[in-house]
Amino acid sequence: MSKWLYDEGKHCGVDYSKADQAEMYDEQHQKFRDYEKEFKRMMDFLEFRNTKDMTLVDMGCGTGATSIFAANFFKNVYAVDVSDVMIKQARKKIEHRNIHNIRFVNAGFLSYRHQAEKVDLVVTKAAFHHLPDFWKQIALLRINKMLKMKGLLYIHDVVFHFDPKEHGRKINSWIAGFEKLAGKEFRSEIETHIREEYSTFAWIMDGMLRRAGFTVEKCESADEFITEYACRKVSDLNLEETA
Ligand SMILES: C[S@@+](CC[C@H](N)C(=O)[O-])C[C@H]1O[C@@H](n2cnc3c(N)ncnc32)[C@H](O)[C@@H]1O
């Protein structure tokens, strides 16, 4: 492996490789999230129907917020994450449930090699901002390679839509709103996100998506931070694998 390759195992910001972080993840997140509603919202946003013969890849699957619901609607689900302890939590959640079509893979945006047929949908929720922009671009090229032509990429993440000149006021007011919703404990996680993780500007994301062979069919953000993208693969790019 090349020495210049980004180390996905080092976890910028919140460290999801820690067992206690993984164990408390769902309890913390369910204070302000409803995974099932989020899944339905995603399917409506993408206008995805008749998915029973389709395959989905969930990049940065964490404890299975998307993958576990997706398993009821898709033929195959590949749930990929760099954190083995997050995957362990996801596995635990389906232990006594009749779910047999999720394949968990301990790998990342830059290391996962999709060996099976090309897929219909790649989803990534609250994970893409873990990569700096250069590596986001490489990850998008790799996602392009996994997808069938006209397949969809769904990104749900923090992306900045505000004027950079106003960043201080915008960030403070967003964090205050988030604290109201998710509680005081979550405030420092959001501060860490802004300080140490790699959320980027919407115009940068747009350019990267285009260069990776996608058109953005939909981009919505209610608060100029949390953003959903529906992106369609429109060209094959013949990416050479990183050495
Ligand atoms: C905030 S959690 C989101 C988990 C899940 N998608 C959700 O909606 O709850 C971020 C996840 O991204 C994973 N992650 C971080 N860097 C990654 C990378 N380079 N490739 C794949 N997953 C990564 C972390 O291990 C963590 O499980």
Side-chain angles (χ1 to χ4, degrees):
M1 199 162 59
S2 300
K3 282 193 178 153
W4 45 261
L5 192 63
Y6 184 75
D7 178 6
E8 296 185 282
K10 76 177 181 196
H11 287 269
C12 65
V14 180
D15 189 350
Y16 292 104
S17 69
K18 293 221 163 89
D20 57 343
Q21 184 66 45
E23 279 157 21
M24 67 184 186
Y25 185 86
D26 283 331
E27 196 190 319
Q28 224 181 34
H29 276 240
Q30 277 165 352
K31 285 183 192 154
F32 62 97
R33 293 176 64 184
D34 177 331
Y35 296 156
E36 187 171 10
K37 266 198 191 147
E38 286 180 12
F39 178 75
K40 286 187 178 147
R41 149 89 200 162
M42 176 187 84
M43 297 293 276
D44 287 345
F45 181 79
L46 296 172
E47 297 170 38
F48 239 49
R49 319 251 184 278
N50 306 321
T51 53
K52 68 176 180 14
D53 292 321
M54 292 188 181
T55 297
L56 173 153
V57 177
D58 182 7
M59 295 300 303
C61 65
T63 59
T66 304
S67 297
I68 292 174
F69 288 100
N72 295 321
F73 294 87
F74 286 78
K75 185 175 175 194
N76 299 303
V77 174
Y78 293 84
V80 181
D81 202 289
V82 282
S83 165
D84 56 344
V85 288
M86 291 293 271
I87 288 180
K88 190 172 157 202
Q89 291 301 314
R91 279 190 199 281
K92 222 191 234 175
K93 281 158 69 178
I94 59 166
E95 239 166 39
H96 302 294
R97 291 165 68 177
N98 194 25
I99 296 179
H100 304 288
N101 56 343
I102 306 182
R103 189 166 309 163
F104 291 100
V105 186
N106 189 197
F109 287 104
L110 304 172
S111 54
Y112 174 61
R113 285 181 191 230
H114 188 73
Q115 309 280 10
E117 278 177 23
K118 291 195 187 247
V119 309
D120 303 279
L121 174 63
V122 174
V123 170
T124 183
K125 188 156 205 178
F128 203 41
H129 65 268
H130 287 273
L131 291 178
D133 284 355
F134 173 82
W135 296 107
K136 281 196 194 81
Q137 181 70 75
I138 307 304
L140 288 172
L141 295 170
R142 301 186 85 252
I143 290 170
N144 173 300
K145 199 172 175 182
M146 279 177 225
L147 277 166
K148 291 177 183 166
M149 184 57 83
K150 306 283 180 213
L152 278 178
L153 163 63
Y154 173 81
I155 303 174
H156 181 122
D157 215 321
V158 175
V159 178
F160 305 132
H161 296 262
F162 50 78
D163 181 338
K165 293 195 294 295
E166 300 171 355
H167 69 280
R169 182 168 53 81
K170 293 285 183 178
I171 287 170
N172 282 331
S173 106
W174 183 62
I175 291 178
F178 222 98
E179 184 178 348
K180 256 192 212 153
L181 180 77
K184 257 197 164 21
E185 324 84 81
F186 215 73
R187 182 185 179 93
S188 75
E189 193 160 324
I190 298 299
E191 288 166 340
T192 303
H193 181 116
I194 301 288
R195 190 177 59 244
E196 293 171 31
E197 300 179 8
Y198 302 109
S199 277
T200 195
F201 287 107
W203 62 88
I204 294 175
M205 192 70 111
D206 285 351
M208 289 196 289
L209 285 163
R210 253 183 289 118
R211 279 182 169 74
F214 292 97
T215 54
V216 176
E217 292 199 337
K218 270 191 191 172
C219 171
E220 286 181 15
S221 175
D223 61 3
E224 298 188 291
F225 285 80
I226 294 172
T227 309
E228 284 177 293
Y229 287 94
C231 315
R232 194 167 300 279
K233 171 172 168 173
V234 289
S235 51
D236 259 321
L237 297 175
N238 299 321
L239 170 73
E240 295 169 16
E241 260 314 327
T242 304

